[in-house]
Amino acid sequence: MDKKLYTMIVYSENIAGLLNQITAVFTRRQINIESLNVSASSIKGVHKYTITAWTDEDTIKKIVRQIEKKIDVLQAHYFTDEEIFSHEIALYKLSTPVLEREPKVSELIRRYNARVVEVNPTYSALEKDGTTEDITSFYDELQQLGCVLQFVRSGRIALTKSCVERVNEFLAEREARYLRAKQNEAAR
Amino acid sequence: MSNKETITGAEALMRSLEHQGVDTLFGYPGGSIMPVFDALYDHRHILNHILVRHEQGATHAAQGYARASGKVGVCLVTSGPGATNTITGIADAMIDSTPVVVIAGQVGTSFLGSDAFQEVDLVGITQPITKWSYQIRRAEDVPWAVARAFYLASSGRPGPVVLDFAKNAQVETFDYEPTTVDFVRSYIPVPDTDSMSVIMAADLINKAQRPLVLVGQGVELGNAQDELRAFIEKADMPAGCTLLGLSALPSDHRLNVGMLGMHGNLAPNVKTNECDVLVAVGMRFDDRVTGNLATYAKQAKIIHFDIDPAEINKNVKVDVAVLGDCKDTLRAVTDLLVPAKHKEWLASFAPYAEEERVRVIEPEIHPGHGPLNMGEVVRAVSEATRNEAVLVTDVGQNQMMSARYFKYSRNRSIITSGGLGTMGFGLPAAVGATFAVPDRTVCVFMGDGGLQMNLQELGTVMEQKAPVKMILLNNNYLGNVRQWQAMFFNRKYSFTPMLNPDYMKIAEAYGIPSRRVMERSDLSAAIDEMLSTAGPFLLEACVIEEGNVLPMTPPGGTVNDMLLEC
Ligand SMILES: Cc1ncc(C[n+]2csc(CCOP(=O)(O)OP(=O)(O)O)c2C)c(N)n1
Ligand SMILES: [Mg+2]
């Protein structure tokens, strides 16, 4: 089957140890996680994981269901690149003497729309956001000029193109159904 | 008025267990759980604690208890080695969907992470093999954690839950109030049933010429044995059972065509690759059932009834998935079925059943001469109990032979380690079962290897006078492995012959009545003696050393290509 880069978005309760459980579903199936970002979501007490992995659709579906099965996971969905807006951020530390000597470096910084966040006589720090391709190609070009001292890249974060965070509806629906069931029980 | 009362975490655990209706627990004390055992002493008349001889025994006993009764089995152990000794049982309960709650002591929270005496990261170790694993760090969390543990273990697809109980939380006090949990917002125990899937399933079955039903343990877990019967009877569909589903349908039911899988019956396996609609109910297409997936039921439309969405399309791609509790979904689909007759299709199973009977079954259960066979011992015991006993098995040839030749007439009558295949499971599981169903005869069949893996539980049997009818099928070999060596490794018997002790002397040391049978002519009297003796009994049957379990789908083979001899 066709392998693609899938982005999985997982919402969970904010509970210690869940990250392990989620990544274990990938590792058990020998799928490498390409990037992983975990943070508080816009909903209080709910954590959001953005995970990317190269795999086929059959496998990603099974992984989603196995992750969703974890007790404290609220929802898991997978997306292809066409279904999301995604972004990464990267930091580059360059040698200031090379930067000053080599005009091509400043040209690259402008072309790639990177932001200078620090300059001192030894090194300069740049920040750049964008797609994975954009960020790596900027790195590759800088590397050719021999000026990169350090480089770090964040995991991908993503927004879905569909308008609302589905987890909101999910939570509302879960609570409402439980209340309805309780009321029916009481009525009986 | 509030009914709050200030008590310790340990006392709260006792009250919380009683609040859950627990009346039996299996355990073993130690340093980090002493406050709990101290509290338990004062509750011992309600919470009957069975002292096992090894914590692995406690988990298997809890499993046996849960499988026989449908209730949650409970274990109570200490931290460190006590906790790690439960791992095999927890993994076994996970893969076989058995509701158990394991409560383990843990060092105090101020010691956590410091490699303190008898500290292990139990939550970390057990997360991948539990439905839920939780560390109780504060006394006030006890009622909630226990309520949640029982709710999670027993609802939806059941499974094991671990509570790791820090020692400080056992001794600290708080205002106790009984708590119940029946809702966890992130957990959907029973998924919604799509009404379209019900219609589509019924439609496929109504159009089927050659339907075949696969019955799994889900039918027993869902308490849907009657619904299953109505379902297959209305559409006149033959049904095969998985190892764990064997007693969900009586063996002598007209439509029961036998056991599925590697050592199952010939007819249902062959017919899996001839049916036009395959209907799986509460089973998970385990590789021991399907053999080679690339050649499994490719000709059939497949319908899968399950409570766990993660099982759908996991191993076998299906055409219709009917999610939900099979007690409800079977009923809903049955309502839409048109009564049918599949006379010819049903009759087409007979030649295969007959071939197996003549070539495999008869020689196994009525050999007439030569050494005793496992199958004949099993069938004789089964019949002597009027096929009404609970069968517990260990793992190996003894397991396959007892599953094949025992007969089932009542629900929840087979307790065996299916998914994990845990040697040593049988004896403690049988002990647990006797506490769950004291009115039923519990027979456990074990090999000489497996009995010795938890032999120490004879101490529990002795102390509790647990009425376990123990049948040792002694072939002086790790027989199952020896059979594979004979078939696939050129008869190179690498470390499978085994020097055995005198089991009669062992039984005697424990004060357990026993009998050894070597001759066919002595078998029936010995079985009668075993069944008429009150309390436990060990029957050692010295069986053929190099016997083989047949038929067999070789590993990686195709279901309709079973070997009848080797
Ligand atoms: C704990 C454990 N260790 C090893 C195995 C592998 N194994 C499966 S069957 C078997 C042989 C069992 O021998 P015995 O208990 O004498 O039963 P028999 O097959 O002879 O009836 C072994 C070693 C296992 N299933 N479980
Ligand atoms: Mg043996």
Side-chain angles (χ1 to χ4, degrees), chain B residues 169-381:
Chain B
Q170 298 172 31
V171 295
E172 284 158 13
T173 58
F174 73 109
D175 292 341
Y176 173 80
E177 216 176 351
T179 305
T180 305
V181 169
D182 62 356
F183 176 73
V184 172
R185 68 176 186 172
S186 59
Y187 167 65
I188 301 173
V190 183
D192 287 341
T193 307
D194 176 358
S195 55
M196 263 317 285
S197 71
V198 171
I199 293 168
M200 282 162 64
D203 191 49
L204 271 182
I205 295 169
N206 284 334
K207 287 189 185 130
Q209 304 289 314
R210 301 183 308 281
L212 176 64
V213 177
L214 312 179
V215 179
Q217 190 196 197
V219 172
E220 300 247 46
L221 295 172
N223 206 11
Q225 300 90 347
D226 293 345
E227 287 74 10
L228 175 84
R229 230 165 300 166
F231 171 69
I232 61 174
E233 283 168 3
K234 189 164 181 189
D236 200 33
M237 295 183 279
C241 300
T242 67
L243 176 64
L244 268 59
L246 277 171
S247 62
L249 184 67
S251 309
D252 62 3
H253 190 283
R254 179 178 72 82
L255 293 168
N256 191 336
V257 290
M259 176 167 126
L260 301 162
M262 180 179 268
H263 288 300
N265 294 112
L266 184 60
N269 277 310
V270 169
K271 294 292 168 176
T272 299
N273 275 6
E274 287 178 23
C275 63
D276 58 356
V277 175
L278 190 67
V279 189
V281 188
M283 57 85 75
R284 59 188 179 87
F285 294 105
D286 177 66
D287 57 82
R288 284 297 186 269
V289 162
T290 63
N292 188 349
L293 283 173
T295 53
Y296 182 78
K298 288 294 171 198
Q299 80 295 341
K301 293 270 186 222
I302 303 181
I303 304 170
H304 192 177
F305 289 75
D306 213 287
I307 200 166
D308 179 359
E311 287 300 339
I312 305 300
N313 296 333
K314 188 184 78 176
N315 295 335
V316 171
K317 271 240 171 335
V318 302
D319 297 279
V320 179
V322 187
L323 287 173
D325 182 338
C326 65
K327 198 174 177 71
D328 304 325
T329 53
L330 280 173
R331 214 182 269 157
V333 173
T334 306
D335 281 346
L336 302 182
L337 292 182
V338 180
K341 285 282 166 225
H342 296 290
K343 219 172 149 204
E344 255 173 62
W345 167 238
L346 278 163
S348 75
F349 283 67
Y352 293 98
E354 180 59 14
E355 184 178 10
E356 183 183 349
R357 194 184 67 79
V358 171
R359 288 175 63 186
V360 179
I361 299 175
E362 277 305 308
E364 181 65 35
I365 62 175
H366 297 124
H369 57 86
L372 278 172
N373 284 337
M374 285 190 183
E376 70 179 311
V377 177
V378 171
R379 180 57 63 85
V381 171

Side-chain angles (χ1 to χ4, degrees), chain A residues 24 39-40 118 122 186 188:
Chain A
S39 63
E118 159 88 20
T122 337
R188 256 188 278 119

Side-chain angles (χ1 to χ4, degrees), chain B residues 411-423:
Chain B
N411 299 338
R412 290 190 174 271
S413 292
I414 179 162
I415 299 172
T416 187
S417 169
L420 205 63
T422 306
M423 279 175 72

